[in-house]
Amino acid sequence: VADVFCEREGFPCEKGDENFIQERWSYFAPPENCFGRFSKKFNGYISVRNLVRACQTVAVKNGVQRVAEVVNDLEKTNEGHFKITLENGDVISSKKVVVACGSFTNFFNILPSKRQLDLQLVGHTVLKFELDDQDSEKMSDFPSMICKPALDSSYVYILPPIKYPNGKTYLKIGHVVYPKLDENKLGQVLNTLEEVQQWYCRKDYPKARNYFQTIFKRLYPEIDYLKEELDYCVMAMTTSGKQLIGFAEENLMVAGGGNGKSAKFGLEIGRICADSIVKGEWDYDHLDPDDFKLRYKDEFKD
């Protein structure tokens, strides 16, 4: 399937086995009998931190007023406008609203009739391995990668050494986001705002830490990292695997359920929402709106 896609889309990639991999990255120990595809032209990663900063900068330069506050309540008035009540007590009035709150969408009164999107929230972890300057330089040509380190493991993704704002360089490993493929059961289903808050604030997750340490030592036996640091995130998963994008009511558009891919598709999702809310109806010729129809939890109750 991958070969057909690459050929059809003109996506240049090389096929190879573990020998192909070790010839290019001698410090990497691929699993035995593995095979894969490598694209030098389209390989890379997205810095979410820089992406958000860039989007905010462009928005402000084009006249957007950015208000960094939590929205507690969204209510439509008799005049047809929306009353937006912030956590600090301030109130904003708007004719049109786009809701894109990720994993926090269902925890505040922002959808009509207090309905909740059909989302499953899954807590995930990543482990960042701090590298010294010598190893960072040695591994500077390493690509972003998705792989299955062994037959008894789940898929993981690996990002190359990246210098963070604190001046330190980390190689990051995260596990697969789909619960059905999470063979090691590292993901945690979260149901309440309190559970989500506790997940982000937890001090350690030994099961995940030990798993990622084992993966690192298996794949990079010659690299001695300085120390490791766990990070936590929450994925909003949908039943279909597709994002939920559509009008909850007139002049109120909602986008939710990134399925762990929001950074990758975020700009285009934003384009769909922006163009559609201005036009007052779905405005994206390339995709069928029924594929992304909003689905609510109360639709699936017995």
Side-chain angles (χ1 to χ4, degrees):
V1 175
D3 292 337
V4 172
F5 172 81
C6 290
E7 182 176 351
R8 184 189 68 198
E9 300 296 328
F11 191 87
C13 66
E14 301 176 72
K15 293 185 290 184
D17 54 15
E18 63 260 42
N19 295 323
F20 170 91
I21 295 172
Q22 286 192 309
E23 287 175 2
R24 285 159 174 76
W25 308 287
S26 59
Y27 49 82
F28 183 74
E32 292 184 3
N33 301 318
C34 75
F35 65 91
R37 292 162 181 82
F38 169 64
S39 174
K40 184 175 182 179
K41 182 177 181 181
F42 292 103
N43 178 60
Y45 63 90
I46 295 173
S47 169
V48 177
R49 184 182 293 104
N50 290 338
L51 176 63
V52 171
R53 184 184 298 115
C55 290
Q56 291 175 345
T57 300
V58 170
V60 171
K61 285 185 176 180
N62 282 273
V64 170
Q65 181 180 355
R66 179 170 175 260
V67 180
E69 294 289 344
V70 175
V71 175
N72 277 347
D73 187 82
L74 177 64
E75 179 185 3
K76 197 167 190 177
T77 67
N78 293 332
E79 292 77 23
H81 290 191
F82 291 95
K83 177 183 176 183
I84 305 168
T85 304
L86 307 182
E87 189 175 53
N88 65 2
D90 290 348
V91 175
I92 298 174
S93 179
S94 179
K95 295 180 180 180
K96 298 174 181 284
V97 173
V98 174
V99 173
C101 301
S103 298
F104 294 90
T105 302
N106 288 338
F107 296 137
F108 299 90
N109 183 30
I110 54 178
L111 298 182
S113 303
K114 298 184 178 180
R115 301 183 77 184
Q116 295 188 335
L117 293 181
D118 182 37
L119 301 175
Q120 182 186 51
L121 304 186
V122 182
H124 286 267
T125 49
V126 300
L127 193 58
K128 298 184 301 187
F129 297 88
E130 184 183 347
L131 305 176
D132 62 25
D133 292 340
Q134 183 177 349
D135 285 333
S136 298
E137 178 63 27
K138 180 195 299 185
M139 303 174 68
S140 61
D141 64 338
F142 194 71
S144 301
M145 179 180 291
I146 297 175
C147 72
K148 190 170 187 178
L151 292 177
D152 61 345
S153 66
S154 301
Y155 287 91
V156 299
Y157 70 87
I158 306 171
L159 294 188
I162 299 170
K163 195 164 189 176
Y164 279 65
N166 62 3
K168 298 179 180 181
T169 300
Y170 300 93
L171 180 144
K172 183 166 73 172
I173 301 179
H175 60 96
V176 68
V177 299
Y178 296 104
K180 292 181 180 179
L181 298 179
D182 185 13
E183 297 175 7
N184 295 281
K185 308 300 180 184
L186 297 178
Q188 299 288 311
V189 176
L190 308 171
N191 296 303
T192 66
L193 176 60
E194 290 72 24
E195 289 177 356
V196 170
Q197 292 171 330
Q198 290 170 7
W199 178 259
Y200 276 114
C201 295
R202 68 184 301 160
K203 300 299 183 182
D204 198 8
Y205 187 14
K207 183 178 180 181
R209 183 184 294 274
N210 295 337
Y211 173 72
F212 290 129
Q213 287 174 337
T214 300
I215 296 299
F216 186 95
K217 293 174 182 177
R218 180 182 294 167
L219 298 179
Y220 305 99
E222 300 178 1
I223 304 297
D224 294 320
Y225 61 87
L226 301 177
K227 61 181 180 179
E228 75 273 343
E229 180 180 331
L230 274 173
D231 274 344
Y232 304 92
C233 55
V234 179
M235 309 294 187
M237 314 299 291
T238 65
T239 304
S240 66
K242 296 180 180 180
Q243 290 83 5
L244 305 180
I245 310 172
F247 283 92
E249 63 176 309
E250 186 179 8
N251 292 328
L252 175 59
M253 192 154 198
V254 179
N259 297 290
K261 304 172 186 175
S262 291
K264 186 182 297 184
F265 303 132
L267 293 179
E268 207 60 22
I269 294 172
R271 183 194 305 275
I272 294 172
C273 292
D275 290 346
S276 299
I277 195 69
V278 170
K279 188 175 181 180
E281 61 183 20
W282 182 272
D283 187 20
Y284 197 80
D285 295 336
H286 307 293
L287 298 172
D288 186 343
D290 288 340
D291 289 339
F292 304 91
K293 181 181 177 181
L294 298 182
R295 289 174 169 80
Y296 299 91
K297 288 187 175 181
D298 55 25
E299 296 175 357
F300 300 93
K301 290 183 178 179
D302 294 333

